[in-house]
Amino acid sequence: MPTGPAKLPPPYRIKVVEPIPFLSAEERRLALTEAGYNPFNLRADQVTIDLLSDSGTGATSAAQEAAAALGDESYAGARSWFRFRDEVRDLTGYPHILPVHQGRAGERILFGSLLKPGQICISNTHFDTTHANVELAGAEPRDLPCPEAADLDSDEPFKGNIDLDALERVLTGPEGHRVGLVLVTITNNGLGAQPVSMANLEAVRELCRRHAVPFFLDAARFAENAWLVREREPAYSDWTPRQIATRAFQLADGCVVSLKKDGLTAIGGLIGLRDDDLYAVCEANLIATEGFSTYGGLAGHDLERLAQGLQEVVDPAYLRSRAASTARLTQMINDAGVDTVQPPGIHALYLNAGRLLPHLAPHEFPGHSLGCQLYLDGGIRCAELGSLYLGGMDDEHQLVTPAPFELVRLAIPRRVYTDTHFEYVASVLADIAKAPERVRGYRIVSSPRLLRHFKVRLEPLAPGVVA
Ligand SMILES: Cc1ncc(COP(=O)(O)O)c(C=O)c1O
């Protein structure tokens, strides 16, 4: 690593590019109206900077594409499967690996095989599909985030942790016998992309061992969590990210992983297991619903890209550069007068829309309003994480229980955007912050019951939108 300039460039250069569209303000207004004011309904070619998700949206490397050309598409026992399996075994230490096409397929298979109706699954925070798949297995998802997570502004290093006291209270209390699984999400996507410390994982392991409850990781961002552990947990400051990740996997009984994030690919996932009997049940379930156990819904070329991506993602130079890039964008946004959840994580930053738009009540969805304004003003797409997504609604779609915070998530695709793109994002936000009162509230027109935010349609509260 060269020394000298404080700000090092990313450890790669760009080889293949794709144009991004620039629509006029009127075209954006029409596009959002047709989308029912839900950014999930926009066409991707109507979006200038797409910060909706970091899932499957990263750029692959030349080495990954070269490996993909060697993909073995044999139905069973493909060479690509063994390359993938050996890479994952080496990283995680789990003897049993099952490939799946994406994280939620793994969740469905794991929870369907492990959880019994009436049981409780405890997490630091369930991701939305994880929550839905626990319910579909007939069990109850219960979130026990650490109390530090409630202060969005504090610099506590591990606000992604599970609340150990609360976990112990449930395990030793009258409901203890109902706990079927403890699932810790690293990093905590539902709560500000905050990391989980190794000390927290060790304590969870000990509690689960004592109470004979399986402990699993939802490890979609295992490498980014490892980097933040290295940066923030002194005992690990001279470990490599790969060593830290391996140690985290070792602490748990198994994992479910969406590889669309830290696999550095567009598609993929896995289940890692120690238990032979659980493996046999999951494998049967996988073969019936995803594909044979040596491909699990993935093509040979996907498995090749993944095996290579799993090596690249733990490169300290890559992780350092990605973390620094998110931190710089956060700083630019904070300097523009918009508060974000602190301290910055890596895969996303979370705007405090409730604070920026105090003229909008929770039932007018300030987070959603800010997200829409970012699209109207700059063609920027992002996702609300506030009362529209998390609030309790009655049958007429009226907000009954507001979410604790009104946030907007700007997710950062891996290896895709440069600092210049981020300067643009910050400048659009800066303009909104100069006159926030012009941002209108919204009301729901129609909404599905499950996973509301994907398909909800809305309209602005006042006629027309001031763009
Ligand atoms: C923490 C977490 N778990 C699970 C998933 C589901 O993964 P997938 O989108 O691959 O189904 C996601 C997706 O964003 C996630 O962030």
Side-chain angles (χ1 to χ4, degrees):
M1 176 65 53
T3 52
K7 184 181 150 187
L8 288 169
Y12 49 81
R13 58 184 177 176
I14 296 162
K15 190 165 182 150
V16 178
V17 297
E18 165 176 48
I20 55 177
F22 290 90
L23 278 65
S24 67
E26 180 56 13
E27 286 168 331
R28 292 194 297 266
R29 194 187 64 75
L30 277 174
L32 195 63
T33 309
E34 274 169 28
Y37 296 91
N38 182 346
F40 279 98
N41 291 334
L42 288 169
R43 292 168 51 115
D45 60 10
Q46 294 169 326
V47 177
T48 303
I49 307 280
D50 206 342
L51 306 181
L52 187 64
S53 177
D54 67 316
S55 181
T57 53
T60 50
S61 67
Q64 283 179 287
E65 292 311 314
L70 297 175
D72 176 355
E73 308 300 345
S74 304
Y75 185 89
R79 194 178 53 242
S80 304
W81 153 249
F82 290 109
R83 182 171 176 218
F84 171 80
R85 186 202 62 181
D86 293 349
E87 189 59 47
V88 176
R89 268 193 186 158
D90 196 48
L91 174 71
T92 64
Y94 298 129
H96 300 303
I97 307 298
L98 291 168
V100 289
H101 82 275
Q102 66 180 96
R104 67 199 70 181
E107 292 161 9
R108 178 179 51 75
I109 289 168
L110 179 70
F111 302 158
S113 308
L114 179 64
L115 288 171
K116 297 188 189 62
Q119 286 192 321
I120 304 170
C121 177
I122 298 184
S123 181
N124 47 347
T125 310
H126 292 83
F127 176 68
D128 57 9
T129 61
T130 319
H131 192 278
N133 275 304
V134 169
E135 286 187 334
L136 287 172
E140 178 199 330
R142 195 175 294 178
D143 291 341
L144 298 179
C146 67
E148 293 82 3
D151 181 352
L152 303 187
D153 303 315
S154 80
D155 270 332
E156 288 290 328
F158 290 107
K159 291 197 232 175
N161 284 351
I162 200 165
D163 183 337
L164 293 169
D165 292 338
L167 175 61
E168 186 161 18
R169 273 197 301 278
V170 179
L171 289 170
T172 52
E175 292 181 313
H177 67 285
R178 283 179 56 212
V179 179
L181 175 65
V182 174
L183 181 77
V184 176
T185 312
I186 57 171
T187 55
N188 197 338
N189 185 21
L191 264 186
Q194 298 295 310
V196 177
S197 71
M198 299 301 280
N200 194 255
L201 294 180
E202 278 175 28
V204 174
R205 179 182 76 157
E206 184 47 29
L207 279 173
C208 288
R209 194 192 54 74
R210 232 186 294 146
H211 295 274
V213 172
F215 164 33
F216 274 64
L217 294 177
D218 176 354
R221 298 174 184 86
F222 68 89
E224 295 180 356
N225 200 78
W227 181 258
L228 293 171
V229 163
R230 191 183 128 115
E231 294 290 284
R232 299 181 189 176
E233 196 167 355
Y236 292 87
S237 60
D238 56 359
W239 289 44
T240 66
R242 190 183 175 96
Q243 287 169 330
I244 297 170
T246 301
R247 175 73 186 137
F249 286 117
Q250 273 170 2
L251 290 170
D253 297 308
C255 67
V256 60
V257 187
S258 166
L259 290 171
K260 299 177 68 172
K261 288 82 172 170
D262 279 351
L264 297 178
T265 51
I267 201 76
L270 68 92
I271 304 170
L273 298 165
R274 289 190 207 288
D275 186 272
D276 297 341
D277 295 336
L278 182 58
Y279 169 67
V281 180
C282 287
E283 186 186 37
N285 200 335
L286 177 88
I287 295 173
T289 60
E290 277 279 291
F292 189 57
S293 38
T294 63
Y295 74 91
L298 291 167
H301 57 80
D302 296 323
L303 292 165
E304 291 283 350
R305 282 193 191 89
L306 282 164
Q308 176 64 27
L310 288 171
Q311 289 182 359
E312 294 177 12
V313 78
V314 287
D315 172 11
Y318 157 75
L319 287 166
R320 179 183 291 112
S321 157
R322 178 160 163 79
S325 167
T326 303
R328 276 197 300 277
L329 174 58
T330 307
Q331 192 60 55
M332 283 191 278
I333 288 173
N334 294 159
D335 290 347
V338 181
D339 289 340
T340 53
V341 174
Q342 295 294 342
I346 299 186
H347 83 274
L349 56 99
Y350 297 67
L351 312 176
N352 191 336
R355 194 173 289 164
L356 182 68
L357 307 174
H359 61 288
L360 296 180
H363 70 270
E364 295 169 312
F365 307 123
H368 185 75
S369 305
L370 181 57
C372 286
Q373 203 65 40
L374 277 163
Y375 180 74
L376 291 168
D377 290 0
I380 299 160
R381 174 156 74 166
C382 48
E384 191 250 19
L385 272 182
S387 290
L388 183 63
Y389 169 42
L390 297 166
M393 308 269 176
D394 66 16
D395 289 344
E396 269 72 54
H397 316 307
Q398 296 299 315
L399 184 69
V400 182
T401 326
F405 305 108
E406 303 296 340
L407 303 178
V408 178
R409 188 185 77 165
L410 305 189
I412 316 292
R414 292 166 181 77
R415 306 191 290 204
V416 170
Y417 293 120
T418 65
D419 277 359
T420 319
H421 294 103
F422 292 148
E423 281 163 19
Y424 170 77
V425 172
S427 74
V428 173
L429 262 169
D431 283 345
I432 295 174
K434 279 181 203 144
E437 61 290 340
R438 77 190 166 94
V439 179
R440 309 271 180 187
Y442 285 79
R443 72 171 203 93
I444 293 177
V445 175
S446 66
S447 168
R449 281 192 183 283
L450 195 65
L451 296 170
R452 172 174 60 224
H453 53 294
F454 287 120
K455 298 307 294 178
V456 64
R457 293 183 77 83
L458 303 102
E459 65 185 14
L461 280 172
V465 175
V466 184

